[in-house]
Amino acid sequence: MRLPSVAPAVTRTIAIVLAVAAVGVLAVTALADRHAGREPAATPSRPASPIAESTMPGSIDLPPTSAPSTPRVRPADAKSWLRALAGKWAQDAEKNYFQFQPDGTGQWVAFGQKLWSGKATPRDATTFDLSDRSGQGASYWQVKLVSGGKELFFAGTQKTYRKS
């Protein structure tokens, strides 16, 4: 007498378990894809410090941005504040410095090249907008007097310059 074989029953059971598992994976994937379209896309974060880019005229092909409105400053205050900004602010006196005149005109020399020249406009006693010809925007072209007016912070490079 011959005993019946269990191999077909085991094979059938394994096939059913695998089919149920495959249907489960497909269902979870379909649900995940369905909900993925409803969630807002993650916004890219800005780096902690800006990536150095050339600011030479013509090197940036961005449309000009509208600068935030400059607050009304009394002419006497502006003249006084610009006098505080006047002078040479340097990291390296020969290769990396800002030079401002009492009327607000100035220049920035970095890496031995003039990268900016224009006019500073006071927002208040310590914050000045620099004229922007490159399209970088007001948040880039701004300097602030810090440490009681002994240092100048340039927003564009996040660097501090000492008065020389």
Side-chain angles (χ1 to χ4, degrees):
M1 167 169 202
R2 225 168 143 207
L3 291 172
S5 173
V6 292
V10 170
T11 303
R12 184 179 44 198
T13 303
I14 291 173
I16 291 171
V17 168
L18 289 175
V20 169
V23 169
V25 168
L26 288 173
V28 168
T29 303
L31 285 174
D33 286 346
R34 181 176 177 209
H35 291 293
R38 293 183 183 168
E39 296 175 9
T43 57
S45 63
R46 294 183 55 130
S49 60
I51 299 169
E53 292 183 15
S54 173
T55 57
M56 295 298 293
S59 65
I60 299 172
D61 295 331
L62 297 174
T65 59
S66 60
S69 62
T70 305
R72 292 293 258 173
V73 175
R74 291 186 358 211
D77 289 338
K79 188 174 183 177
S80 172
W81 297 340
L82 286 169
R83 268 188 262 130
L85 179 66
K88 190 171 190 176
W89 303 85
Q91 283 190 329
D92 175 342
E94 298 298 318
K95 295 195 180 200
N96 193 355
Y97 63 89
F98 279 91
Q99 177 79 45
F100 291 100
Q101 304 304 317
D103 67 353
T105 58
Q107 65 180 354
W108 172 37
V109 174
F111 314 107
Q113 297 180 354
K114 188 187 301 185
L115 297 181
W116 172 83
S117 64
K119 186 158 178 88
T121 305
R123 289 189 150 278
D124 57 40
T126 60
T127 306
F128 302 85
D129 292 334
L130 305 179
S131 55
D132 177 12
R133 295 185 191 132
S134 69
Q136 293 271 2
S139 62
Y140 184 91
W141 291 109
Q142 192 173 81
V143 294
K144 292 183 182 203
L145 297 179
V146 294
S147 301
K150 295 177 184 173
E151 293 180 331
L152 177 115
F153 176 77
F154 177 43
T157 59
Q158 303 287 302
K159 300 287 184 191
T160 303
Y161 295 75
R162 289 190 142 314
K163 191 152 194 178
S164 47

